[in-house]
Amino acid sequence: MTLSLEDKSVPALSCEVEPTLKNTLGIDMGLKEFLVTSEGESVPIPQYYRKYQQRLKTLQKRLSRKKKGSKRWFKAVKAVAKQHKKVADKRKDFHFKTANKLLSKADVIAQTRSGVPEANLNIKGLAKTSLSKSINDAIWG
């Protein structure tokens, strides 16, 4: 159940920010650096997948040796899923911390991906190419 009230006596808050040179920041996202700001500051890509790649390989090899549907197979599936979740959580944490840092610096942020307009980039398609690890670690999606 939701209750909604409108009170005309309370002034509405305006969230619009006029872009000026002082409160505007431009960022360019790429595969070599996670992002480069218009001020020249760069943030490297942490490459979490590549860090945990050996552990994932070991867990997936253990999984492939188990009899499908057995109790130990389900345990191995959980272990692989847990490792993938760990990588995803680390990426997500990095993303939120970086976004928070950028938002504390500027009110207006303009973004590009290596000079290519966002509409022309097929991230899912690129994630299936030979650059998949780099693109997934870059956290574009």
Side-chain angles (χ1 to χ4, degrees), residues 122-138:
N122 180 6
I123 297 170
K124 282 187 178 181
L126 286 172
K128 294 177 183 177
T129 64
S130 60
L131 295 173
S132 63
K133 289 179 190 174
S134 299
I135 289 170
N136 286 329
D137 272 336

Side-chain angles (χ1 to χ4, degrees), residues 10-11 32 40 113 120 126 129:
V10 178
K32 292 185 180 178
R113 290 194 186 115
N120 296 341
L126 286 172
T129 64

Side-chain angles (χ1 to χ4, degrees), residues 19-116:
T20 64
L21 288 176
K22 292 180 183 176
N23 68 356
T24 305
L25 184 68
I27 60 172
D28 182 33
M29 300 178 78
L31 288 177
K32 292 185 180 178
E33 296 287 331
F34 177 65
L35 63 87
V36 179
T37 65
S38 56
E39 298 169 347
E41 181 186 339
S42 66
V43 178
I45 296 174
Q47 296 187 339
Y48 293 116
Y49 183 79
R50 290 183 195 269
K51 286 180 187 173
Y52 291 104
Q53 191 173 6
Q54 187 59 43
R55 176 77 178 140
L56 273 166
K57 182 181 175 182
T58 305
L59 291 172
Q60 287 167 339
K61 201 167 200 174
R62 282 184 199 164
L63 172 64
S64 71
R65 292 184 183 134
K66 307 290 185 228
K67 185 177 179 185
K68 195 169 185 181
S70 68
K71 196 169 190 176
R72 290 185 180 181
W73 180 82
F74 280 112
K75 276 186 175 181
V77 167
K78 279 187 181 180
V80 171
K82 191 175 179 181
Q83 193 64 40
H84 277 292
K85 186 176 180 338
K86 187 174 186 177
V87 172
D89 288 347
K90 285 196 172 272
R91 283 178 179 163
K92 194 174 187 179
D93 182 56
F94 169 75
H95 214 212
F96 280 117
K97 285 180 180 175
T98 306
N100 192 23
K101 235 186 265 183
L102 288 174
L103 289 172
S104 66
K105 288 181 182 178
D107 294 328
V108 179
I109 298 174
Q111 174 226 348
T112 63
R113 290 194 186 115
S114 297
V116 180

